[in-house]
């Protein structure tokens, strides 16, 4: 059993981005990422801080817009509009979910598709469907990069994704399909979940429930990817997979923390670099 080291792979990706950023800066373009955080959700604050830290590491300019939970939809959309028009901002990221009363989808649609480094805009989502895209969604693309780094071949494999969110589950299925996986997406209405997951060569858990995937749900020798970020009964950070009991059945497994999370951020850096290039025809 191999524990996939997301920190290590993400460090390699960020090194590559940093080196390409140096070249871009030499040509007069410093990639700029705007990070919008509305409200005071502690988890979102941690994610945003990590994204800013990564920007610093690779040599981007990052600008944080921390808005109170009382921000109105109009105020938020006005900020997005201003950022859409700023030449020095190449990527715009609004940390989701937004506090109650604000509409995630309205903000996603307001961000210029050219600056949509999360790849959440319907124009970018559509382009991913047909395989003609500039940006890939950060978490699924980070997972694919991790599989590649460990030479895990998807072609012809039974791939099972648990979770059908627009951010992870649905695009994850699509990226696995692009690499010729046979993909099943499971969700809360799925019948006989255990029978389906127990046939997975590659199992991606993106449910949002602590230790939901237990050993009896996993096939011997499976690759298990854990997208979860939860707190267990003792308040300790844990994934959607019961790591301690599942790990010995796996050929590969990602830990939480130190698995998928750092890869999400590494992909965000890649997307922002690409956005800066595209916007400057470089
Ligand atoms: N919330 C959970 N994951 C993400 C992500 O990848 N991007 C943004 N903007 N918000 C998120």
């Amino acid at each position: 059993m191999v524990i996939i080291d997301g920190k290590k792979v993400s460090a390699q990706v960020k090194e590559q981005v940093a080196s390409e950023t140096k070249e871009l800066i030499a040509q007069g373009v410093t990639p700029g990422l705007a990070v919008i955080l509305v409200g005071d959700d502690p988890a979102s604050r941690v994610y945003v801080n990590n994204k800013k830290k990564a920007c610093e590491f690779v040599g981007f300019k990052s600008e944080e817009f921390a808005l109170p939970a009382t921000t109105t939809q109009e105020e938020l959309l006005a900020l997005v509009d201003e950022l859409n028009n700023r030449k020095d901002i190449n990527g715009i990221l609004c940390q989701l979910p937004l506090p109650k009363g604000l509409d995630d989808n309205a903000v996603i649609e307001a961000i210029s598709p050219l600056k949509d480094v999360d790849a959440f805009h319907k124009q970018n989502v559509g382009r991913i469907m047909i395989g003609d895209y500039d940006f890939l969604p950060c978490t699924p693309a980070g997972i694919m990069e991790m599989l590649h780094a460990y030479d895990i071949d998807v072609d012809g494999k039974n791939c099972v994704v648990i979770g059908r969110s627009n951010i992870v589950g649905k695009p994850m299925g699509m990226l696995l399909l692009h690499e010729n996986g046979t993909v099943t997406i499971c969700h809360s209405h799925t019948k006989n979940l255990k029978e389906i997951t127990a046939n997975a060569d590659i199992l991606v858990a993106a449910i949002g429930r602590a230790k939901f995937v237990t050993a009896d749900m996993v096939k011997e020798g499976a690759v298990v990817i854990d997208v979860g970020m939860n707190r267990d009964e003792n308040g300790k950070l844990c994934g959607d997979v019961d790591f301690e009991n599942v790990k010995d059945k796996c050929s590969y497994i990602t830990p939480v923390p130190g698995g998928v999370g750092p890869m999400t951020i590494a992909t965000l850096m890649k997307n922002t670099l690409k956005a800066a290039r595209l916007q400057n025809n470089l």
Side-chain angles (χ1 to χ4, degrees), residues 202-245:
I202 298 174
L203 179 61
V204 180
I207 309 135
R209 279 170 63 179
K211 302 180 188 179
F212 180 88
V213 175
T214 46
D216 56 331
M217 296 169 72
V218 175
K219 176 172 151 177
E220 198 74 46
V223 175
V224 175
I225 306 291
D226 191 347
V227 184
M229 190 61 87
N230 315 294
R231 299 271 168 190
D232 70 8
E233 57 283 6
N234 304 314
K236 198 169 157 251
L237 213 54
C238 74
D240 288 349
V241 177
D242 180 7
F243 184 87
E244 279 313 313
N245 294 310

Side-chain angles (χ1 to χ4, degrees), residues 51 93-96 118 120 167 264:
K51 289 170 184 181
L93 177 149
C94 181
Q95 189 64 33
L96 302 178
D118 269 321
F120 291 165
I167 293 184
T264 298

Side-chain angles (χ1 to χ4, degrees), residues 95-116:
Q95 189 64 33
L96 302 178
L98 290 166
K100 259 205 217 101
L102 292 171
D103 182 358
D104 287 10
N105 287 325
V107 176
I108 288 171
E109 294 314 315
I111 293 173
S112 160
L114 302 170
K115 298 191 177 184
D116 172 36

Side-chain angles (χ1 to χ4, degrees), residues 14-149:
K14 284 188 290 183
E15 287 290 352
Q16 179 64 29
V17 172
S19 129
E20 292 180 35
T21 299
K22 257 192 206 147
E23 290 169 27
L24 207 59
I25 291 173
Q27 293 173 275
V29 174
T30 302
L33 177 67
V35 182
I36 306 171
L37 172 61
V38 188
D40 43 22
D41 178 62
S44 288
R45 168 43 74 191
V46 173
Y47 298 145
V48 163
N49 286 350
N50 288 338
K51 289 170 184 181
K52 281 165 50 191
K53 244 187 264 169
C55 282
E56 207 170 300
F57 177 85
V58 299
F60 297 170
K61 188 181 77 121
S62 76
E63 211 169 306
E64 180 184 300
F65 298 85
L67 308 176
T70 52
T71 302
T72 65
Q73 185 79 16
E74 290 70 33
E75 287 166 332
L76 184 53
L77 293 180
L79 171 62
V80 169
D81 192 45
E82 180 191 320
L83 295 169
N84 279 340
N85 289 310
R86 268 178 59 178
K87 284 262 177 307
D88 61 328
I89 293 295
N90 306 112
I92 303 169
L93 177 149
C94 181
Q95 189 64 33
L96 302 178
L98 290 166
K100 259 205 217 101
L102 292 171
D103 182 358
D104 287 10
N105 287 325
V107 176
I108 288 171
E109 294 314 315
I111 293 173
S112 160
L114 302 170
K115 298 191 177 184
D116 172 36
V117 286
D118 269 321
F120 291 165
H121 191 283
K122 55 182 143 194
Q123 197 169 308
N124 288 323
V125 174
R127 292 183 61 188
I128 292 160
M129 281 284 277
I130 57 173
D132 167 30
Y133 48 77
D134 288 316
F135 306 122
L136 287 174
C138 297
T139 298
I143 290 169
M144 296 311 291
E145 181 120 25
M146 220 158 41
L147 296 178
H148 299 154

